[in-house]
Amino acid sequence: MPAFLTSHFYNLSEPELWVGIGLLIFIGIAIAAGVPKLVAGTLDARAAKIQSELDEAQRLRAEAEALLAQIRAEKAAADIQAREMLAAAEADARIMEAEAKVRLEETLARRQALAERRIASAEAQASAEVKAAAADVAAQAAETILAARLQTQKSDPLLDAAIGQIGTRLN
């Protein structure tokens, strides 16, 4: 049973009565001074501050999500661009390789043609030298044979002139 319902609580000599009266006076003064409004205002201000912080956190979260989506889109675009650049580089490398092969084949063909011309020139020069040497040998042999026959015969000036011209005409 509560103490304020008992009869001895309302005795003026009881300290509980005075504590109760003091409490009621204090509560009355606090109400008259506007403490409840002040406490409610402080609590409302704190609630508003917390709500604004929550709103700011929500706004920051939305910005972060938008930024994350933008970064992901940029990354996807960069990946696509990198793949396209790699494909273009590979295509360029294949083209350059084919062009290099063509240039190499052309260079080899030119060198082969040059070597064949040099060989043909060397063969022609060697053939001319062999023909000249054969003509010289034939002229010397003819001169020797004719000289041996002529020694046994008398000398003919026309024959001597013809023998002298054989060496120059064969060259």
Side-chain angles (χ1 to χ4, degrees):
M1 177 187 260
F4 64 88
L5 293 178
T6 61
S7 62
H8 77 282
F9 181 75
Y10 296 102
N11 187 358
L12 293 180
S13 63
E14 290 294 321
E16 287 88 11
L17 177 66
W18 293 109
V19 169
I21 292 173
L23 180 64
L24 288 176
I25 292 173
F26 175 74
I27 291 175
I29 292 172
I31 290 174
V35 170
K37 288 181 183 178
L38 182 64
V39 169
T42 304
L43 290 176
D44 288 343
R46 179 168 267 184
K49 181 180 176 186
I50 290 171
Q51 185 62 42
S52 70
E53 288 176 357
L54 287 173
D55 292 342
E56 178 70 15
Q58 185 67 24
R59 185 186 63 80
L60 290 174
R61 179 183 175 136
E63 286 179 8
E65 288 174 349
L67 185 60
L68 178 63
Q70 179 184 359
I71 290 172
R72 285 183 178 160
E74 288 174 358
K75 181 184 179 290
D79 287 344
I80 291 170
Q81 185 179 10
R83 282 194 292 271
E84 289 172 354
M85 289 173 65
L86 181 62
E90 288 174 351
D92 288 346
R94 284 191 291 276
I95 290 170
M96 289 172 64
E97 180 184 11
E99 289 174 354
K101 282 182 182 179
V102 168
R103 284 194 305 264
L104 179 63
E105 289 173 1
E106 289 173 355
T107 301
L108 289 176
R110 280 193 309 265
R111 287 187 179 175
Q112 183 178 359
L114 179 63
E116 288 174 357
R117 282 193 304 265
R118 285 183 180 169
I119 290 171
S121 174
E123 286 176 352
Q125 185 179 0
S127 175
E129 288 176 0
V130 167
K131 286 179 184 179
D136 285 343
V137 169
Q140 287 175 357
E143 190 177 335
T144 306
I145 293 171
L146 288 175
R149 282 190 189 167
L150 287 178
Q151 283 179 355
T152 58
Q153 297 177 355
K154 106 183 194 186
S155 176
D156 183 12
L158 289 175
L159 190 57
D160 290 336
I163 290 173
Q165 288 178 0
I166 288 178
T168 59
R169 287 191 180 177
L170 291 178
N171 285 335

